Amino acid sequence: MAGTAHADTLDLQKDAPERYVVVKGDTLWGISGKFLKQPWRWPEIWQLNKDEIKNPHWIYPGDVVVLDLSGKVPRLKLLKSDKNGNRQSGPLKLSPQVRVEEFTNGAIASIPLDAIQPFLKRPLLIEPAELAKAPRIAAGPDARQIYAAGDRIYALNLSGKDGDVWQVFRPGKPLYDPADPEHKAVMGYEVNYLGDVRVVKVDEVSTLNVVTAKEEIQPGDRLLRYDEIPFVNYVPHLPERGVKGLVVSAYDGLTDFGPYSTVVVNRGSLDGLDIGSVLFTYKQGRPIKAEEGEKQGLMTPPEKNGNLFIYRVFPNVAYGLLLDSTQPVNVGDAAQSMQ
């Protein structure tokens, strides 16, 4: 189903189905893409307001998504299944419900959770000012320089209370702002997560027990308070104001980033990004060699190469999951809210 007078408004897929049965493993993004060429316009076809974007609909395997073209604009409705798998007699518009942070009851998520789950359970980035004041591991009870799970260690400059859990890390590579012409502006440092420790006693020299050790822990390693970020199932949406940034890095040091890669951009909450924001990545134009008599300084047009769903946001940087990429994304590619 396709060409209707409404198709131009929301740019429906040419083969958009009249209805689609939700199956396990579906995502809001994926279902939206079956109906729309622009999956981030999901809130429009569901006719959601700004508050409802932060409380997305619950959709479960067995539910049926119906494309309704009876009005002035296309919209999606839902045939809900009951606990016995029977569907209600008529299509109903979904209504927002309370957001739940863990999808243990089978409801589908906005984007593939398994692609980002590891990045929600460990620290990713530390800004220079935060690194300078981070507590550090000073020593152990003996002369050893390597500690593992079950060992006791001591730390300086620790705050909080007994029983708190902290994450041990070692500063990784600096992330330089590609917009800085001298490439010297450090936006933060990637975090090499080493393990977890539990506070036995907070003091001038605090006592801790190593709970888990992903890698060897050594004196000089730093500590961040454990703060697992629950996945918030935001519906994809454009930022409220225009954002123009650049790709800074990809996690794990990749050079070519493809679908479901996590990439870092040099824009964050101070620039208007929040969880669920969608940016578009573009391959920067390349200079065209001019022949005699031709205009100098011409560039090839930028080529769109992916969509980016932002799922973790810091003041000056953000982490996003690359979706629908058509060619590799690289450091220095544009990441912006305008197509």
Side-chain angles (χ1 to χ4, degrees), residues 36-302:
L36 293 173
K37 293 182 179 179
Q38 301 166 307
W40 56 92
R41 297 185 67 180
W42 175 270
E44 296 175 54
I45 202 166
W46 283 108
Q47 298 182 351
L48 304 182
N49 62 38
K50 185 169 65 175
D51 291 333
E52 289 170 342
I53 288 174
K54 296 184 179 181
N55 290 303
H57 304 305
W58 284 103
I59 301 178
Y60 296 86
D63 291 346
V64 180
V65 179
V66 179
L67 178 61
D68 180 5
L69 297 173
S70 62
K72 292 183 178 180
V73 295
R75 61 185 291 190
L76 294 180
K77 297 182 178 182
L78 196 72
L79 288 172
K80 296 291 291 181
S81 296
D82 62 23
K83 61 182 180 181
N84 297 316
N86 300 314
R87 297 184 184 114
Q88 296 178 0
S89 57
L92 297 175
K93 181 179 184 292
L94 286 168
S95 58
Q97 300 182 31
V98 177
R99 184 179 69 234
V100 177
E101 294 166 341
E102 295 293 340
F103 300 97
T104 55
N105 61 354
I108 67 170
S110 299
I111 56 176
L113 283 177
D114 55 357
I116 65 171
Q117 200 72 45
F119 303 101
L120 302 178
K121 294 185 176 181
R122 64 191 187 199
L124 296 179
L125 174 112
I126 188 165
E127 296 182 337
E130 190 179 4
L131 175 60
K133 61 183 181 182
R136 71 177 179 89
I137 295 171
D142 50 38
R144 284 183 299 143
Q145 295 294 299
I146 294 175
Y147 313 113
D151 287 341
R152 177 156 292 194
I153 55 176
Y154 304 107
L156 302 180
N157 305 316
L158 198 74
S159 60
K161 62 184 186 301
D162 300 353
D164 284 351
V165 174
W166 290 70
Q167 293 180 313
V168 187
F169 75 96
R170 194 170 295 147
K173 72 175 183 180
L175 295 180
Y176 295 100
D177 189 348
D180 173 31
E182 297 184 356
H183 299 287
K184 294 181 179 179
V186 177
M187 308 189 68
Y189 296 88
E190 286 191 347
V191 167
N192 294 326
Y193 167 69
L194 304 178
D196 295 337
V197 296
R198 188 179 302 277
V199 178
V200 176
K201 182 175 178 56
V202 176
D203 208 331
E204 189 172 12
V205 177
S206 297
T207 304
L208 310 97
N209 284 335
V210 179
V211 179
T212 60
K214 178 176 174 286
E215 296 182 24
E216 295 173 342
I217 296 172
Q218 302 173 353
D221 290 336
R222 301 297 178 124
L223 297 166
L224 278 173
R225 194 182 299 276
Y226 177 74
D227 186 21
E228 180 175 344
I229 308 298
F231 176 69
V232 181
N233 197 27
Y234 278 32
V235 171
H237 58 278
L238 295 180
E240 290 188 2
R241 62 177 190 261
V243 174
K244 294 186 70 174
L246 297 170
V247 174
V248 176
S249 175
Y251 213 79
D252 292 335
L254 299 174
T255 55
D256 291 331
F257 328 140
Y260 302 140
S261 295
T262 282
V263 304
V264 189
V265 296
N266 65 341
R267 295 293 182 265
S269 59
L270 296 178
D271 304 290
L273 292 181
D274 62 354
I275 296 173
S277 292
V278 174
L279 300 178
F280 312 110
T281 58
Y282 282 83
K283 188 67 62 183
Q284 300 283 29
R286 295 180 295 105
I288 295 176
K289 185 178 180 179
E291 295 184 352
E292 185 177 352
E294 293 180 335
K295 184 177 180 179
Q296 301 290 324
L298 292 178
M299 306 283 289
T300 60

Side-chain angles (χ1 to χ4, degrees), residues 20-42:
Y20 173 75
V21 180
V22 180
V23 299
K24 185 177 180 180
D26 275 338
T27 62
L28 292 177
W29 184 280
I31 293 174
S32 177
K34 295 181 184 301
F35 295 92
L36 293 173
K37 293 182 179 179
Q38 301 166 307
W40 56 92
R41 297 185 67 180
W42 175 270

